[in-house]
Amino acid sequence: MRSFRSLSLTEQVAGHLRNELLQGTFGTRAPGVHRLAAELGVHHTTAEEALQMLEREGLLVGQGAGRSRLIRIPEDFTPPSMRVGILPYEESDRTLHSLLEMQHNLQDAGHTAGFTSMTLLDLGMDAKRVARFVKDSDVDAWVIVAGSREVLEWFADQDIPAFALCGRRRGVPIAGIGPDKLPALIDAVDRLVALGHSRIVMLLHEEHRKPQPAFVVQAMLNRMESHGLRTGAYNLPDWENNPADLRRCLDSLFQSSPPSALIADESILLIMTQLHLARRGILAPQHVSLICADPDPIFQWLSPSIAHIRWDSRKQGRRIVAWANNVARGKEDRRQSLIKAEFVEGGTIGRVPGMGR
């Protein structure tokens, strides 16, 4: 396993500011110490040290006390770049707005970024198969979308830089970012219980259920139990990662003791679930409440509006670009961060049928 050195706060601020300078954000003059400190939420001493670091690199020129530093990008300056392979979870990831935006952000920063020919599902989410695929790929760094713990641990042990976009990265020494869904999921569960729901089922891909539920999923189950609800296999039904078995799972769920509420882990699962149930005459929110644990631009076009968990996906792109720039310059960057998320109550949730208003 590679030696681990986390970036100091000053280095993080300098890295962020360096990216902004090279992209021409500030024009000809760098922001002052107090403005920079206020915008980034750091002490002015940290901001000053970061600016001094960029002076030593030659990107800034000091003008004396009380005067802003001049930005001096050498004419022959070429930002270091990398070939970044984006390893998607499944085929549909190639068309996700947030991932396409991330790819464009990397390209705008001077890197070459593209989706790989294989997905994690194609590789069976098997670390040995992933290892063979990685070693046969001509890229400098990897972004892994929704990787299992086994896969992410393998990447963390390699010399090649890797970034975990969501996935089971908790406790794994790998750079990563994802939404902090737990508070939003708790709000969703509390709202469902307040509306009389006791049979709440979550549709998750296998790697989030096995060998044990992911941290956030277990916390959601614990919240249900705190409301006096019994939890077990019923709440996390088993199904294989393909559309046919998802439909089989839904048919089985609604044969006896049908759920009153379904939480789908991602938008494609929510839409497939909604369409399949509608064919059986099961509608939301009349017969079942539906919530998606992911946002999707398409939700604003649907009626009724989809209840979902929302966060700012643009923060993912900015963080990944900062990581790519850092490792392109030979800097170790394994920092993990979370994006604040919120529960948006849409038109697909309501009271349990028969409970009245």
Side-chain angles (χ1 to χ4, degrees):
M1 181 174 174
R2 291 180 294 173
S3 60
F4 173 70
R5 184 183 76 84
S6 60
L7 295 176
S8 69
L9 183 56
T10 297
E11 289 173 323
Q12 293 176 44
V13 172
H16 169 80
L17 187 56
R18 184 186 299 108
N19 296 335
E20 298 296 298
L21 295 176
L22 297 178
Q23 292 174 23
T25 302
F26 304 114
T28 60
R29 294 178 180 272
V33 171
H34 294 290
R35 171 188 161 188
L36 182 61
E39 289 182 353
L40 299 182
V42 299
H43 193 272
H44 65 86
T45 301
T46 301
E48 175 62 27
E49 291 173 349
L51 291 167
Q52 291 177 6
M53 184 179 297
L54 296 178
E55 274 194 53
R56 292 192 292 272
E57 292 180 12
L59 296 178
L60 295 179
V61 178
Q63 297 295 296
R67 300 180 64 188
S68 58
R69 293 168 168 89
L70 296 179
I71 299 172
R72 288 286 187 266
I73 307 299
E75 292 184 2
D76 59 350
F77 178 81
T78 302
S81 62
M82 294 192 303
R83 296 162 299 175
V84 181
I86 304 171
L87 181 56
Y89 174 79
E90 57 188 345
E91 281 298 320
S92 62
D93 285 349
R94 303 181 194 276
T95 59
L96 279 180
H97 172 76
S98 59
L99 294 184
L100 292 174
E101 183 179 51
M102 176 197 73
Q103 180 187 17
H104 294 154
N105 288 344
L106 285 167
Q107 292 170 341
D108 289 344
H111 304 288
T112 302
F115 291 93
T116 58
S117 60
M118 301 285 281
T119 70
L120 285 170
L121 288 189
D122 293 335
L123 296 167
M125 199 65 81
D126 182 270
K128 292 181 179 179
R129 293 181 63 187
V130 169
R132 290 194 293 271
F133 179 70
V134 167
K135 290 173 181 177
D136 290 338
S137 301
D138 192 20
V139 300
D140 303 311
W142 291 87
V143 174
I144 308 102
V145 182
S148 67
R149 186 173 187 86
E150 179 189 26
V151 166
L152 295 183
E153 286 178 339
W154 180 84
F155 273 104
D157 283 339
Q158 309 309 306
D159 290 331
I160 190 166
F163 191 100
L165 184 59
C166 301
R168 299 194 69 166
R169 66 195 184 284
R170 185 181 179 87
V172 179
I174 186 173
I177 193 171
D180 184 10
K181 290 185 179 181
L182 181 53
L185 278 172
I186 294 298
D187 288 344
V189 168
D190 290 348
R191 181 59 177 149
L192 289 173
V193 171
L195 291 169
H197 294 272
S198 59
R199 300 189 305 277
I200 303 171
V201 168
M202 191 165 192
L203 297 172
L204 297 161
H205 288 291
E206 184 177 15
E207 56 274 6
H208 296 298
R209 295 181 271 110
K210 297 178 179 179
Q212 61 274 330
F215 172 80
V216 171
V217 178
Q218 186 59 57
M220 186 193 74
L221 296 175
N222 294 343
R223 187 67 169 194
M224 291 167 60
E225 291 175 357
S226 73
H227 285 291
L229 306 182
R230 296 179 61 183
T231 64
Y234 173 83
N235 305 100
L236 302 176
D238 197 19
W239 59 284
E240 296 180 5
N241 289 328
N242 63 74
D245 206 52
L246 174 63
R247 292 190 290 269
R248 177 206 59 78
C249 174
L250 291 169
D251 289 339
S252 176
L253 282 170
F254 282 86
Q255 282 180 355
S256 60
S257 300
S260 62
L262 287 170
I263 302 175
D265 188 42
E266 57 185 48
S267 60
I268 191 170
L269 294 182
L270 185 284
I271 293 170
M272 289 179 62
T273 296
Q274 189 176 32
L275 290 174
H276 183 69
L277 294 181
R279 294 190 187 101
R280 297 187 48 179
I282 303 172
L283 304 177
Q286 297 94 316
H287 308 115
V288 64
S289 288
L290 295 178
I291 297 174
C292 186
D294 262 350
D296 194 302
I298 199 174
F299 289 168
Q300 64 182 318
W301 295 93
L302 301 180
S303 181
S305 59
I306 305 296
H308 64 280
I309 292 173
R310 177 176 63 195
W311 68 91
D312 187 354
S313 64
R314 294 172 299 179
K315 294 182 178 180
Q316 290 182 332
R318 290 195 292 268
R319 171 65 185 112
I320 288 176
V321 169
W323 163 80
N325 290 342
N326 282 334
V327 296
R329 295 181 176 90
K331 294 186 176 180
E332 188 85 28
D333 184 352
R334 298 199 186 191
R335 179 172 61 89
Q336 293 189 14
S337 52
L338 292 171
I339 303 170
K340 182 180 179 180
E342 61 177 337
F343 171 55
V344 179
E345 184 172 339
T348 51
I349 67 171
R351 289 190 175 277
V352 173
M355 284 194 62
R357 299 179 69 84

